[in-house]
């Protein structure tokens, strides 16, 4: 009930985008986690080809965030959000209707480009519309996103009892509904006339050393968040010998998010500098990997072995709840309000590349730990990533390189 009361205090545009993110994550997670299985089991593709299809989708999204960010600044976030959801509708429909490699690659490119468009645009719009309540808005955004990430796989699992095409068409239908809702309800904002070229905007943002240092410091947050889909589910399965144990990780996180996210953000917003809480959240994320490390590779009671993994998952979610809203709140403060979208876009490009490197290191540690009877190694590796990021943010704060708070937004116009 607290979530709904808080939600009603925001403008209709923010409320729509919160529900939009719930739908986006439901649609995404009911399809993408099962795509590789469809390509191999149903279409008989090799692992190499599957890797190409999935890699193209990821590259199309991560590499083009900067395009979505710049488009938001120059064309207005509303149109970019609508275009992104429409493209995702087409891309997911192609996954359902196409069996050839060419069609699947086209679907991957379109669905990846869609995410590159609407992800920075949605955050830009929320930052502009929520004025001095950005932290609360992004806290709610996290609640809806986490809930969608739980519902999506559950719905996808149920739809797979029919077939994969039904899942893909359902996902496409969800994005089609979101596209129509945005076109009908989302108000347009006046776009400030551009002072220069797109390349000039990019040079201005990339030339902001404090911003780039902050984006790189966030490698820990993105790398460790991704372990919710890799290391922690694997640890839960190893501890219990039950494949369904991975779902407990998401259940713990979703329940904690619904119960605590707004309380945490409200309490911390009034106590201390934003950078302090970002560093604290990253530190909690680092600590989250220590309990599972203590039981990694051990034998014994499945419940007792699973408990440290679930405690780690809970600590990781709490760390994200502490840090993430303030990270999103600070990004627009690094530069001109007219470049909010570009800042978000480049932030996700830099952090995405850094996190990809971090995930590669974690994957190597998992393999090395298994070969060398050192099952604790990937957990320790993640803890070090989180600690390094926390120290990086604390150092930037000590140097005075981080914004002290959100900048006032330009009033919205319909």
């Amino acid at each position: 009930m607290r979530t709904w009361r808080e939600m009603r205090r925001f403008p209709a545009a923010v409320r729509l985008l919160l529900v939009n993110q719930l739908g986006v994550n439901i649609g995404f997670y009911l399809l993408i986690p099962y795509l590789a299985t469809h390509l191999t089991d149903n279409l008989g593709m090799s692992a190499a080809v599957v890797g190409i299809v999935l890699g193209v989708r990821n590259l199309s999204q991560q590499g083009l965030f900067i395009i979505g960010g710049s488009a938001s600044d120059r064309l207005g976030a509303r149109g970019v959000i609508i275009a992104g959801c429409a493209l995702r509708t087409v891309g997911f429909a192609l996954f359902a209707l196409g069996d050839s490699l060419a069609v699947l690659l086209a679907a991957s490119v379109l669905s990846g480009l869609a995410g590159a468009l609407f992800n920075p645009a949605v955050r830009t719009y929320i930052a502009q519309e929520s004025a001095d309540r950005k932290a609360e808005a992004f806290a709610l955004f996290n609640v809806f996103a986490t809930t969608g990430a739980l519902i999506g796989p559950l719905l996808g699992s149920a739809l797979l009892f029919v077939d994969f095409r039904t899942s893909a068409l359902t996902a496409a239908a969800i994005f089609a509904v979101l596209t129509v809702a945005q076109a009908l309800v989302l108000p347009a904002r006046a776009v400030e006339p551009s002072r220069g070229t797109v390349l000039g905007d990019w040079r201005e943002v990339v030339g902001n050393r404090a911003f780039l240092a902050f984006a790189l410091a966030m490698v820990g947050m993105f790398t460790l968040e991704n372990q919710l889909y890799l290391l922690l589910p694997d640890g839960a399965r190893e501890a219990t010998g039950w494949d369904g144990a991975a779902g407990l990780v998401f259940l713990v996180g979703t329940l904690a998010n619904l119960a605590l996210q707004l309380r945490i953000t409200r309490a911390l917003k009034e106590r201390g500098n934003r950078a302090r809480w970002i560093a604290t959240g990253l530190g909690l994320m680092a600590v989250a990997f220590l309990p599972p490390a203590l039981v990694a590779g051990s034998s014994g009671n499945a419940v007792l072995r699973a408990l440290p993994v679930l405690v780690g998952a809970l600590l990781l979610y709490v760390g994200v709840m502490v840090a993430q809203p303030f990270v999103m709140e600070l990004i627009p403060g690094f530069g001109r309000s007219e470049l909010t979208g570009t800042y978000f876009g480049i932030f996700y490009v830099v952090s995405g590349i850094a996190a990809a490197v971090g995930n590669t290191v974690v994957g190597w540690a998992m393999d090395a730990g298994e070969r060398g009877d050192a099952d604790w190694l990937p957990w320790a590796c993640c803890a070090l990533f989180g600690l390094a990021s926390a120290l990086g943010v604390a150092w930037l704060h000590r140097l005075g390189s981080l914004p002290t708070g959100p900048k006032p937004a330009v009033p919205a116009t319909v």
Side-chain angles (χ1 to χ4, degrees), residues 11 13 78 125 128-129 185-192 409-414:
R78 175 182 181 272
Y125 204 115
Q128 292 169 337
E129 289 284 338
V185 179
L186 200 62
R189 287 180 54 92
V191 180
E192 292 290 328
V410 179
T413 57
V414 178

Side-chain angles (χ1 to χ4, degrees), residues 38 71 74 136 151-152 160 172 227 251 258 260 269 283 306 322 339:
H38 167 66
R74 291 175 171 267
E136 290 93 336
I151 295 173
L160 283 178
Q227 303 318 309
L251 181 62
L258 288 169
L260 300 176
K269 183 179 178 181
V322 170
L339 294 182

Side-chain angles (χ1 to χ4, degrees), residues 9-283:
R9 297 175 60 192
F10 284 95
V14 174
R15 296 199 299 268
L16 174 63
L17 291 177
L18 295 176
V19 176
N20 175 82
Q21 192 60 32
L22 175 70
V24 164
N25 276 17
I26 290 174
F28 181 86
Y29 285 105
L30 78 83
L31 172 67
I32 294 300
Y34 308 105
L35 180 58
T37 302
H38 167 66
L39 297 178
T40 54
D41 293 353
N42 298 338
L43 302 184
M45 293 185 171
S46 67
V49 173
V50 172
I52 291 172
V53 172
L54 298 181
V56 164
R57 194 212 66 79
N58 191 59
L59 182 62
S60 299
Q61 180 161 317
Q62 295 290 342
L64 297 177
F65 272 131
I66 188 172
I67 303 297
S70 292
S72 299
D73 292 333
R74 291 175 171 267
L75 303 176
R78 175 182 181 272
V80 178
I81 293 168
I82 295 170
C85 278
L87 279 177
R88 180 64 63 84
T89 302
V90 175
F92 280 8
L94 284 177
F95 278 127
L97 303 175
D99 293 342
S100 69
L101 180 59
V103 173
L104 292 170
L105 288 175
S108 294
V109 170
L110 288 175
S111 59
L113 174 60
L117 290 175
F118 65 67
N119 276 324
V122 165
R123 287 157 178 80
T124 298
Y125 204 115
I126 290 176
Q128 292 169 337
E129 289 284 338
S130 53
D132 61 346
R133 301 184 65 234
K134 290 181 178 64
E136 290 93 336
F138 283 113
L140 281 170
F141 188 84
N142 193 22
V143 170
F144 279 84
T146 302
T147 304
L150 174 67
I151 295 173
L154 296 176
L155 180 58
S157 297
L159 289 172
L160 283 178
F161 283 108
V162 183
D163 60 18
F164 176 82
R165 297 182 193 281
T166 302
S167 296
L169 290 174
T170 301
I174 290 172
F175 279 95
V177 170
L178 294 176
T179 303
V180 173
Q182 291 153 6
L184 293 176
V185 179
L186 200 62
R189 287 180 54 92
V191 180
E192 292 290 328
S194 175
R195 299 182 187 177
T197 64
V198 172
L199 289 178
D201 292 346
W202 293 355
R203 282 195 295 269
E204 179 177 337
V205 176
V206 172
N208 188 329
R209 294 182 180 178
F211 167 71
L212 284 185
F214 179 70
L216 288 172
M218 287 299 102
V219 62
M221 188 175 80
F222 285 92
T223 300
L224 300 191
E225 269 190 291
N226 284 338
Q227 303 318 309
L228 290 168
Y229 308 101
L230 177 62
L231 188 55
L232 281 162
D234 183 71
R237 286 189 293 266
E238 287 291 324
T240 62
W242 174 46
D243 287 342
L248 296 177
V249 171
F250 301 109
L251 181 62
V252 164
T254 302
L255 294 177
N257 200 277
L258 288 169
L260 300 176
Q261 176 68 85
L262 280 173
R263 289 181 172 89
I264 288 173
T265 302
R266 277 180 165 178
L268 299 184
K269 183 179 178 181
E270 306 302 327
R271 296 176 175 84
N273 188 278
R274 305 296 194 264
R276 171 187 171 189
W277 298 123
I278 294 172
T280 300
L282 290 167

